[in-house]
Amino acid sequence: MNQSEFEDSLKELGIILTDTQKEQLEKYYELLVEYNKVMNLTGITEHDEVYLKHFYDSLTLSRVYDLKQDISLCDIGTGAGFPGMVLKIVFPNLKVTLVDSLNKRIEFLRGVSEKLGIYNIELVSARAEEYALKNRECFDIVTSRAVASLPILSEYSIPLVKVNGYFIPMKGSKREEEDSLNALKLLNSKIEKVDTFSLPKEESMRTLYVIRKLEKTSSKYPRKYADMKKKPL
């Protein structure tokens, strides 16, 4: 996806980039490639692939939620900043918090935010379940592109969501609704919408789950990391 194709595809999502945002995304790409030489940030470094599989993919969250509102958003297991940093660049109105268990990734993102002139963003080095214990019901939206299963992601993330807010995980082609029903019931939440679509050009499938939190989460969630037997996000 070259620059022109990227901008045209975003217009179909109702997004028109400013010149400043275009420059910020390009600088972000350059920093990603530079730092990836010394630390493992991504296996995708070719310019057009980053714009498709990281930048465009991150912005597909706007398919299911109006991100032009002044809302708080938390990205759990953000890695190299996808989707949270991209969302903050394109929707500067968002109050964004990026959480990752690996401090060197957070330091990379701190450098990105400084060099791009993005200062009103919170960067947190912590395991998701530890962060959730101290920040319950704080965010309008929580999202994640992490690789854990939907039930595990839900237990990490939904405790962070305000009542009547949304957890919107960004997943691949595998459908996980049935596997998640019990966990979502215990977390006082329900799936309101499932949006399945394909990325432009390569046609790989993506799925967005729009999960609304109906009531406060029980104090026993998130469960202890040792009990979940999954890698930290």
Side-chain angles (χ1 to χ4, degrees), residues 32 39-40 56 83 104 161 164 186 201 213:
L32 179 70
M39 59 187 294
N40 183 25
Y56 177 83
K104 65 180 182 179
V161 180
N164 290 316
L186 293 172
K201 294 181 71 66
K213 183 169 180 172

Side-chain angles (χ1 to χ4, degrees), residues 35 51 63 69 73 76 80 100 120 125 129 142-143 151 154 174 183 196 205 219:
Y35 279 81
Y51 268 75
R63 290 173 57 96
Q69 303 176 70
L73 180 145
I76 291 293
D100 197 89
N120 53 340
S125 176
E129 74 283 4
V142 175
T143 188
S154 296
K174 181 183 176 182
T196 301
M205 299 302 296
S219 59

Side-chain angles (χ1 to χ4, degrees), residues 202-216:
E202 67 159 29
E203 301 297 321
S204 58
M205 299 302 296
R206 296 289 188 271
T207 305
L208 301 177
Y209 294 92
V210 183
I211 300 170
R212 184 161 70 94
K213 183 169 180 172
L214 304 173
E215 301 175 17
K216 286 190 174 184

Side-chain angles (χ1 to χ4, degrees), residues 1 48-57 199-200 202:
M1 174 177 278
D48 290 3
E49 291 287 284
V50 169
Y51 268 75
L52 173 63
K53 296 181 180 179
H54 286 327
F55 293 173
Y56 177 83
D57 192 19
L199 292 181
E202 67 159 29

Side-chain angles (χ1 to χ4, degrees), residues 101-130:
S101 62
L102 200 58
N103 186 61
K104 65 180 182 179
R105 293 190 189 124
I106 292 298
E107 289 305 310
F108 162 72
L109 292 169
R110 200 177 310 281
V112 170
S113 66
E114 291 173 356
K115 291 173 182 177
L116 270 53
I118 299 173
Y119 299 106
N120 53 340
I121 185 170
E122 185 176 6
L123 305 168
V124 179
S125 176
R127 287 176 173 171
E129 74 283 4
E130 294 171 350

Side-chain angles (χ1 to χ4, degrees), residues 29-138:
Y29 165 74
E30 293 170 358
L31 291 168
L32 179 70
V33 172
E34 177 185 348
Y35 279 81
N36 201 60
K37 294 175 182 177
V38 295
M39 59 187 294
N40 183 25
L41 292 169
T42 178
I44 301 170
T45 56
E46 196 274 326
H47 186 274
D48 290 3
E49 291 287 284
V50 169
Y51 268 75
L52 173 63
K53 296 181 180 179
H54 286 327
F55 293 173
Y56 177 83
D57 192 19
S58 294
L59 293 166
T60 59
L61 192 72
S62 65
R63 290 173 57 96
V64 295
Y65 199 96
D66 179 8
L67 297 173
K68 296 177 182 178
Q69 303 176 70
D70 293 333
I71 56 173
S72 56
L73 180 145
C74 182
D75 178 11
I76 291 293
T78 189
F82 311 124
M85 183 63 80
V86 181
L87 292 171
K88 180 61 179 176
I89 290 170
V90 177
F91 299 98
N93 52 289
L94 296 175
K95 182 181 179 182
V96 171
T97 298
L98 306 182
V99 180
D100 197 89
S101 62
L102 200 58
N103 186 61
K104 65 180 182 179
R105 293 190 189 124
I106 292 298
E107 289 305 310
F108 162 72
L109 292 169
R110 200 177 310 281
V112 170
S113 66
E114 291 173 356
K115 291 173 182 177
L116 270 53
I118 299 173
Y119 299 106
N120 53 340
I121 185 170
E122 185 176 6
L123 305 168
V124 179
S125 176
R127 287 176 173 171
E129 74 283 4
E130 294 171 350
Y131 183 73
L133 287 172
K134 299 178 181 179
N135 296 275
R136 304 178 74 86
E137 277 90 37
C138 285

